[in-house]
Amino acid sequence: TVAREKNYSLRAKPIAARDEFATLITAFNEMLSRIQERDAALRRARNELEQRVQERTKQLVAANRDLESFSYSVSHDLRGPLEIVNGMSYIIMQQYGRELTPGVKDCLDRIDDASKRMAQLIDDMLNLARVTKSEMHRERVDLSAIVRHIAEELKQREPKREVEFVIADGAVVQGDAHLLRVAMDNLIGNAWKYSSNKSPSRIEFGVRPSKGDTVYFVQDNGAGFDPRSAQRLFQPFQRLHPISEFPGTGVGLATVQRIMQKHGGLIWAEGAVGVGATFSFTVPDDSA
């Protein structure tokens, strides 16, 4: 009965005799007592752990919500002063440009460049907040078609660059079309940017099977990165290259990671300095 029902509260009935059989019964009952105590302790520990996990989850959800609201509010509040700075510098350049010395013009140009970087940072912060808050609308999404469209846009933007695009066919997933477009914009855009020091550049979007899953990847032959710093790539505002070499705010990959997490997938990076980088991700099919 103990073996069949896993009921460790049962006890064998003691006997009056003092033989080996009685000793066996006593030992068996003691073993059941210890198992019962162990199970009770495990249940208490499991319940305490579940309660701690629930409490910690609530705290993290609240902290993330506060952080997202803070980022959203700060981003909106920054736009007003930034527009004033842009407007004033534009007016000065238009009305007094001929009277300004080269040094003053250089200062205005620096203000303009800094304002553009700040505007980009604000946009990236807002996009990160929107990705976290947005609702999912799953549909059939052709990643191959999205990548081809992005590649054409990049070629039109910089027609003199020598870039070879290799794009796999038939990469169709079930996901949010808008969010996945944002993710591919960031991944292909990064590959384009960080391979700008190679001529010709090579950017590949591919698909490969891995342990029963379908893995999609974006690979380039550009600047690469130190593999020891791979996890930092997905932290907001973390940069592995100086802004003077490759412009950006360090928010794009954090946004991509949020998008993949919302889809129930993963993203990871592999690379080496001067060799290039590969960003792999999964988009599970929740209908399976």
Side-chain angles (χ1 to χ4, degrees), residues 124-198:
D124 289 344
M125 290 176 66
L126 289 173
N127 287 334
L128 184 61
R130 289 191 189 105
V131 164
T132 304
K133 293 180 178 180
S134 64
E135 295 184 4
M136 290 278 291
H137 301 282
R138 285 187 181 269
E139 59 184 297
R140 184 179 180 274
V141 181
D142 189 340
L143 295 181
S144 299
I146 290 176
V147 172
R148 289 193 190 94
H149 185 70
I150 296 170
E152 287 303 318
E153 288 181 342
L154 291 171
K155 288 179 181 178
Q156 291 175 11
R157 194 180 305 167
E158 296 184 53
K160 295 183 178 181
R161 270 193 61 178
E162 295 184 32
V163 182
E164 176 191 5
F165 273 97
V166 179
I167 302 172
D169 293 322
V172 178
V173 300
Q174 290 291 325
D176 187 290
H178 171 68
L179 292 179
L180 290 174
R181 168 68 196 227
V182 172
M184 299 315 300
D185 262 329
N186 277 288
L187 291 175
I188 300 299
N190 271 0
W192 179 272
K193 176 171 64 176
Y194 289 106
S195 63
S196 61
N197 56 355
K198 292 289 181 70

Side-chain angles (χ1 to χ4, degrees), residues 19-34:
D19 54 11
E20 292 180 354
F21 191 58
T23 302
L24 179 61
I25 290 174
T26 301
F28 184 71
N29 285 338
E30 290 176 353
M31 179 186 69
L32 288 174
S33 295
R34 288 195 293 271

Side-chain angles (χ1 to χ4, degrees), residues 101-130:
T101 64
V104 173
K105 288 184 178 180
D106 180 64
C107 289
L108 290 174
D109 289 339
R110 289 171 181 256
I111 290 173
D112 184 59
D113 290 340
S115 297
K116 289 178 180 177
R117 289 200 302 271
M118 177 63 77
Q120 184 62 56
L121 178 59
I122 290 171
D123 289 340
D124 289 344
M125 290 176 66
L126 289 173
N127 287 334
L128 184 61
R130 289 191 189 105

Side-chain angles (χ1 to χ4, degrees), residues 65-80 122 125-126 129 133:
R65 189 184 302 115
D66 291 343
L67 181 59
E68 290 157 11
S69 298
F70 173 77
S71 298
Y72 196 80
S73 298
V74 168
S75 299
H76 275 290
D77 292 341
L78 286 174
R79 285 194 182 277
I122 290 171
M125 290 176 66
L126 289 173
K133 293 180 178 180

Side-chain angles (χ1 to χ4, degrees), residues 247-283:
T249 59
V251 179
L253 288 176
T255 302
V256 175
Q257 186 183 54
R258 296 281 183 93
I259 291 172
M260 296 310 166
Q261 288 173 345
K262 284 179 76 70
H263 283 80
L266 299 171
I267 182 168
W268 62 96
E270 300 167 287
V273 176
V275 175
T278 302
F279 289 87
S280 304
F281 62 91
T282 58
V283 184

